[in-house]
Amino acid sequence: MPQRAVLKEKILNFIDASPAFSLSPGTEHEQEFHHLALEVFAYQFENNEAYQRLCRLRNATPETVQRWQDIPAVTTTSFKSVPLFCHPLENAGFVFYTSGTTRTQPGEHYFYDLDLYKKGSLKSFAAACLDDRQRLPMLIIGPSAEFFPHSSLGRMFSWCMREYGEDGSAILFTPRGVDVEFACDWLEEYAGAGKALIILATSLALADLVTALEETGARIPLPAGSRILDTGGSKGRHLTIPRAELLQRTASVFALPETMIFNEYGMTEMSSQYYQTSILSGQLGADPAVHLSSPWLRSLACDPDTLELLPEGSKGILRHFDLLNLDSVAMLQTEDLGQVQGHSLILHGRLPGAEPRGCSLLSESLLSYRQ
Amino acid sequence: MNCVQYKTAADFDALFNQLAQKSEGRNPESYLERWQGLWQRLAQEPPEPSLLSGMAQAGAMSKADLSAGLRVILTGLSCGRPDFSGIKAPCRRRVAIVAAGNIPGVAVAPAVAQAAAGCPVVVKLSRSEPYFLPWLLEKWQESYAEPAGIVAHPWPADSPATEALLSSAETILAFGNDFTVWDIRDTYRRKQVFGFGQKFSIAWAGSSEPSPEQLRALAHDVALFRQNGCLSVQVVFVHGGKQETLDFARQFAPVLDDVARQFALPGAGLQSRQIQDELDLLGVHWARECRPHASCVIMPEKFQHEFMRGGCVVQVVPGQNIADAIAQIGSYWPSVQGVSLVWPEAGCREQQELWNQQGVGYVRCAGQMQAPPLDWANGGIELPRAVCAG
C-alpha cells in the first residue's frame, strides 16, 4: 500500500477512535498523536520538496526531530508564494484559495483528496454544534461549495448542510452577499413553525443580516434551541463591529441567549477547526470563553519575536499542527495571538501590523459593498 | 462637528456650501503661512501622548516610530509653497479626499493646498489613521480665528455617507491601492478624479563605503512607518558590482536592524521569518542578513519585485548605472515614487539631476525621504493648480 494511503488510513482511524473534543489529550491519544505527527512529518519531508529544503536549512530531518513540537513550521503567508504540496501539482484534486487580502495574490492550499478534511470537520462540527440532534433546519449565510468552489469554509458549510441539514435548508449567500429578503422569509417560516434551527454564517454576513433587520425594525425571535455559528471569514472585507456588540445585537434581533451564538476559528491553510460553543463548555466543563480543538489538531504559542516555543498557557503567536493537512504542511506558523492549554485556546486577535502592507494598501476598497 | 449627521448627497452639498462661504476672502499666502507656522511649532514639541496612543492602536505602529515620523512629516510640511499661478479667481471646486491609512497624514498637504486655493475640502479618513488630520484641525482652531475650511471624518468605506460625499464632490483626490483608485475613477468617471495609487521608493547608493551617518539616514528611510509608505525605500541599488553590493549590504544590515528595532512592534520578527521561509521554500540561496527581531536585508543578483514586502525587508542589488537600475525595475518603473541618494556630497546634485531627467521628481539625500514639502507634486500632480487652473 502506498505510503500516503497507509497514513491516511491511520489518521482516519485516529479520528474514529478519538473523542471529538476533550480538554486535554489523554495519555493514549497523546502517544498515538505523537507517532502520527512524526510519521506525517517524515512523509511531508520526503514528498514535499520545498518543505524539505526549509527543514534541511533548519537542521530538522525525520532523524533529528524527536517531538512533534519540534517539527519545523512554515508561515501561513508562504502558501501565497510557494505551492506546498506533496504531489505533482497536476495531481491536485482540489485547491482552496485564501480570501482576498492586501497581498498581491491569494494563498493556495492544495489537496489530493478531501477525505480527511471532510471526516474531521464533520465530526468536530456535529459534536460542537448539534449536541444530540441528528439534523436541524440549516441556513447558510456564508460561502458554500456551490457558489464559492475554492473556499474551504464553503466546502465545509456545504458538507454540514448535506449531512446535518433538514430538508428545506437553504444557502442564501452568493458572491453578491446575503439575500436578506429570502433569509428573513426563511427564518420567519421556521420560527413560525417553532422548530429549532441553526444558522451558519461568516461574521460579516451575520452583521449584514442583523443590520438589515435592525434598519427595518424587524425582530425574528428564533425558537428555543436555535443556534448560530459564526466564523471570521470576511471575503476580503473588514468587520467594523466589535465582536461583543455583534453578539449583543444578534442576540437581540433573534431573541437568542448569547450562549447560543457559537464561534469557529479556522483558516484556509488548515483542515481542522477550533470551536467555542456552550455545548462543548457544558459537556466538558470548559471556560465558555475558550475555543476547543479536536485531538487531531494541536497548537503551541511562540514568542512573537524569536518564535521560540513558550510554556503552556503563555500568550504568544499560534503555531498549529494539523494531522489532517496530510498533503501540504502540517505545522503552520500563524499571525494569530492566543494562549494554549491542552486542547483549549483563548484567542487574542492578530498580531498588530501582521499584514504585510505596501504603499497605500490600507485604504479600504470601496468596491466590496457595491458588488 | 458632528459628522455623523452627514448622510446624503444633499447633506454634503450643504456642508460644502457652508465651507465655501467660510473661505470667502481667504488669502492663500497668509493661510499657508499660518499652517506652516503651526507645523513648525508642532514639529518641535513632543507629540501628545493621547494622539500617539490612538494612532499607534489604529495603525499598528509603535509610538517610537510614530513619534519620530510625525516630527519628520511636520518638518517637511513646513517647507515649500504650492504654486498658485494660473488660478485666476478663488477656486470653489468642492473637493473630497479619500485618504489612505498606511502612513499618517497623507491627506494633510492636499487638503491644505486645496483649502488655500479657496476650495471647500471634505476628507474621508481611513479607519487605520483617523487621528492626525483631525488633531491638526483642532490645533488650527485653537491657534487661529480663521476657519480652516476642511472637515475630516472616518466615514466607513461601506457607509452610504462615503458614496454621498463622493457624489456631492466635484473633484476627488483618491489615495489608496490601485484597485480602490481604479474603482473610484470608474464609478465617478464624469468627475475630476486624481488617483494616487500604489508606489514604492528606491535608494541609489554610490559608494561601497558609505559613512555611518549615511547608513543610519538610509535606515530611517526604510524603517520609518515600518516601510509602509510610498516614500519608503524597498530596494537599494548599489553602484558597482556584486562584491561592492555585498559589502554595502553587510554594513547596512546591522544599522537597519538597530533602527528597525527601535521602531518595531512586538512580533516584528515574524516578518523576517516569513521572508526567510519563502526564500528557503523556493530554494533561493541569495545572501541575506535577516535579524531575528526586526529586519531582513536580502541580496538577490537583480531587483525582485515579488520580494518587496514591507516590514523592513529590503533588497540590496548591484546597479551598473541608473539606466541599469531602471532596466531592472522594468515594468514597475512607473510605480517608482522617489529616490533616496546615498552619495558623496560632491556628486549629489548631479545624481539628483540625472534621476530628475529620468522623470523622478522626488529625489532626496538619504534620511529626508519621509519629509515631503507642502508643494510636493505627488505623482507629478501639482496641487492646487491641477484642480483649479483652466
Side-chain angles (χ1 to χ4, degrees):
Chain A
M1 208 175 188
Q3 194 187 6
R4 181 187 183 276
V6 173
L7 255 179
K8 179 180 152 184
E9 198 59 33
K10 284 185 184 177
I11 298 168
L12 287 170
N13 290 338
F14 182 73
I15 297 172
D16 276 334
S18 306
F21 291 95
S22 61
L23 289 181
S24 54
T27 316
E28 188 190 337
H29 286 112
E30 175 69 356
Q31 278 179 1
E32 180 67 10
F33 173 84
H34 188 238
H35 289 309
L36 277 172
L38 292 179
E39 280 191 71
V40 166
F41 170 54
Y43 170 75
Q44 295 181 341
F45 182 87
E46 191 179 321
N47 294 285
N48 187 331
E49 199 186 329
Y51 184 51
Q52 186 186 107
R53 265 196 302 266
L54 178 133
C55 292
R56 285 194 187 284
L57 287 162
R58 309 277 183 275
N59 296 317
T61 68
E63 288 73 42
T64 61
V65 171
Q66 302 295 314
R67 307 184 316 149
W68 71 267
Q69 292 91 336
D70 298 328
I71 294 171
V74 300
T75 45
T76 49
T77 51
S78 300
F79 283 75
K80 294 169 195 280
S81 54
V82 190
L84 291 165
F85 192 43
C86 294
H87 313 268
L89 273 191
E90 58 269 25
N91 292 347
F94 300 88
V95 58
F96 295 127
Y97 299 135
T98 54
S99 56
T101 69
T102 54
R103 293 290 296 263
T104 48
Q105 57 184 34
E108 295 169 346
H109 190 181
Y110 292 94
F111 289 78
Y112 186 80
D113 65 45
L114 298 179
D115 297 347
L116 290 172
Y117 179 31
K118 184 175 182 181
K119 177 120 185 167
S121 49
L122 284 175
K123 182 163 178 171
S124 302
F125 170 79
C129 302
L130 298 180
D131 46 41
D132 54 350
R133 292 163 202 264
Q134 294 301 305
R135 284 179 176 272
L136 280 171
M138 191 178 287
L139 173 65
I140 294 179
I141 51 168
S144 58
E146 289 76 4
F147 290 108
F148 298 86
H150 292 293
S151 158
S152 57
L153 178 66
R155 189 67 56 148
M156 189 185 93
F157 276 1
S158 290
W159 285 332
C160 290
M161 191 160 92
R162 266 177 239 142
E163 204 70 24
Y164 301 115
E166 267 191 11
D167 287 349
S169 294
I171 300 165
L172 295 172
F173 185 90
T174 68
R176 288 171 176 274
V178 186
D179 190 328
V180 173
E181 198 184 326
F182 277 101
C184 292
D185 289 348
W186 189 95
L187 287 167
E188 276 166 353
E189 187 186 329
Y190 279 92
K195 287 199 77 164
L197 56 88
I198 183 166
I199 302 173
L200 310 187
T202 61
S203 305
L204 263 168
L206 184 62
D208 284 348
L209 180 61
V210 167
T211 304
L213 282 166
E214 286 170 339
E215 279 172 1
T216 60
R219 283 174 87 247
I220 307 178
L222 298 181
S226 295
R227 67 225 41 203
I228 295 171
L229 173 69
D230 89 315
T231 184
S234 64
K235 290 285 142 212
R237 286 174 58 202
H238 299 285
L239 182 66
T240 49
I241 309 169
R243 176 145 187 85
E245 186 190 327
L246 178 63
L247 281 180
Q248 182 263 318
R249 286 168 55 189
T250 304
S252 165
V253 160
F254 295 116
L256 270 185
E258 285 188 22
T259 50
M260 294 308 279
I261 305 168
F262 306 156
N263 186 254
E264 184 249 22
Y265 162 75
M267 61 189 73
T268 302
E269 298 87 349
M270 204 158 82
S271 306
S272 301
Q273 305 81 33
Y274 270 91
Y275 283 93
Q276 179 200 43
T277 77
S278 54
I279 294 171
L280 289 179
S281 57
Q283 283 173 356
L284 300 171
D287 179 341
V290 305
H291 285 71
L292 288 168
S293 73
S294 298
W296 45 92
L297 172 64
R298 297 293 299 275
S299 301
L300 302 159
C302 308
D303 182 287
D305 284 316
T306 63
L307 304 188
E308 296 292 325
L309 296 184
L310 295 170
E312 213 176 35
S314 309
K315 184 175 168 184
I317 47 172
L318 296 172
R319 187 178 293 179
H320 305 298
F321 187 93
D322 186 355
L323 270 184
L324 310 193
N325 263 18
L326 179 61
D327 296 319
S328 50
V329 174
M331 189 67 106
L332 304 169
Q333 179 62 60
T334 73
E335 297 168 325
D336 297 328
L337 284 166
Q339 288 167 275
V340 182
Q341 190 87 50
H343 287 307
S344 303
L345 169 66
I346 299 175
L347 284 168
H348 292 287
R350 271 169 87 74
L351 197 62
E355 185 77 12
R357 290 165 291 177
C359 178
S360 305
L361 290 182
L362 273 188
S363 175
E364 298 97 329
S365 166
L366 295 172
L367 186 69
S368 52
Y369 77 95
R370 290 199 204 107
Q371 283 183 322
Chain B
M1 183 170 292
N2 178 14
C3 290
V4 180
Q5 66 185 294
Y6 303 111
K7 287 181 179 163
T8 65
D11 295 337
F12 283 103
D13 289 346
L15 174 63
F16 276 124
N17 289 337
Q18 196 187 341
L19 288 171
Q21 273 171 14
K22 288 182 181 170
S23 305
E24 292 287 347
R26 176 174 296 149
N27 178 316
E29 288 301 327
S30 59
Y31 177 81
L32 291 178
E33 201 169 309
R34 284 180 198 151
W35 266 115
Q36 290 189 309
L38 178 64
W39 290 328
Q40 209 164 15
R41 175 166 65 78
L42 294 173
Q44 284 155 16
E45 293 171 3
E48 286 178 13
S50 60
L51 172 73
L52 280 188
S53 293
M55 290 179 77
Q57 202 171 3
M61 285 185 206
S62 73
K63 288 181 187 173
D65 191 356
L66 285 165
S67 187
L70 293 187
R71 189 165 299 127
V72 167
I73 288 177
L74 289 166
T75 306
L77 286 170
S78 311
C79 308
R81 280 290 161 88
D83 182 2
F84 289 88
S85 61
I87 305 173
K88 285 174 189 151
C91 179
R92 291 281 178 260
R93 291 190 72 86
R94 296 187 300 218
V95 175
I97 301 179
V98 178
N102 55 314
I103 63 165
V106 291
V108 173
V112 168
Q114 287 308 136
C119 301
V121 179
V122 180
V123 183
K124 187 207 95 64
L125 298 164
S126 161
R127 71 194 173 98
S128 16
E129 208 292 87
Y131 293 106
F132 188 49
L133 179 54
W135 177 76
L136 287 176
L137 291 171
E138 214 178 279
K139 294 286 152 197
W140 170 275
Q141 218 168 6
E142 285 168 17
S143 308
Y144 307 116
E146 181 184 350
I150 301 166
V151 164
H153 188 74
W155 290 283
D158 57 357
S159 140
T162 298
E163 198 163 8
L165 164 64
L166 300 185
S167 302
S168 169
E170 293 166 288
T171 297
I172 301 170
L173 309 182
F175 292 81
N177 60 34
D178 289 342
F179 187 64
T180 300
V181 169
W182 169 85
D183 178 37
I184 291 173
R185 274 191 205 286
D186 187 58
T187 309
Y188 301 97
R189 65 186 77 161
R190 295 195 177 165
K191 294 180 186 285
Q192 186 187 38
V193 178
F194 295 94
F196 304 88
Q198 285 164 246
K199 300 259 183 159
F200 65 94
S201 289
I202 64 173
W204 177 233
S207 164
S208 59
E209 289 181 7
S211 69
E213 292 75 27
Q214 282 179 313
L215 289 176
R216 200 155 187 88
L218 176 61
H220 273 86
D221 286 346
V222 174
L224 216 51
F225 307 124
R226 202 73 197 141
Q227 213 183 9
N228 279 338
C230 53
L231 293 170
S232 299
V233 169
Q234 305 282 343
V235 54
V236 181
F237 288 96
V238 177
H239 185 211
K242 196 174 171 184
Q243 194 52 52
E244 289 92 336
T245 305
L246 291 179
D247 291 345
F248 183 97
R250 294 209 160 106
Q251 291 177 71
F252 180 52
V255 181
L256 174 63
D257 199 61
D258 186 42
V259 174
R261 195 185 294 233
Q262 286 171 31
F263 294 162
L265 281 172
L270 184 58
Q271 281 170 321
S272 171
R273 173 58 73 91
Q274 283 166 349
I275 195 89
Q276 290 183 73
D277 272 10
E278 285 182 50
L279 296 175
D280 292 341
L281 288 163
L282 286 165
V284 176
H285 299 298
W286 300 327
R288 66 186 89 151
E289 294 264 348
C290 290
R291 306 293 162 133
H293 288 288
S295 70
C296 196
V297 172
I298 57 174
M299 294 158 250
E301 287 176 9
K302 294 269 179 197
F303 166 72
Q304 306 286 329
H305 176 260
E306 62 273 30
F307 286 102
M308 291 199 298
R309 295 295 166 81
C312 293
V313 174
V314 69
Q315 300 176 41
V316 180
V317 293
Q320 290 168 19
N321 47 44
I322 290 176
D324 177 44
I326 293 171
Q328 287 187 47
I329 296 168
S331 60
Y332 297 102
W333 174 242
S335 299
V336 172
Q337 180 78 296
V339 177
S340 169
L341 287 176
V342 186
W343 206 268
E345 207 176 329
C348 218
R349 173 60 68 87
E350 186 195 354
Q351 292 301 316
Q352 194 167 357
E353 280 169 11
L354 288 171
W355 282 101
N356 289 156
Q357 284 163 21
Q358 298 298 331
V360 184
Y362 193 77
V363 186
R364 291 290 184 276
C365 289
Q368 296 172 19
M369 285 297 281
Q370 301 290 349
L374 184 61
D375 60 348
W376 174 41
N378 184 356
I381 300 165
E382 285 183 30
L383 296 175
R385 279 207 310 180
V387 171
C388 297

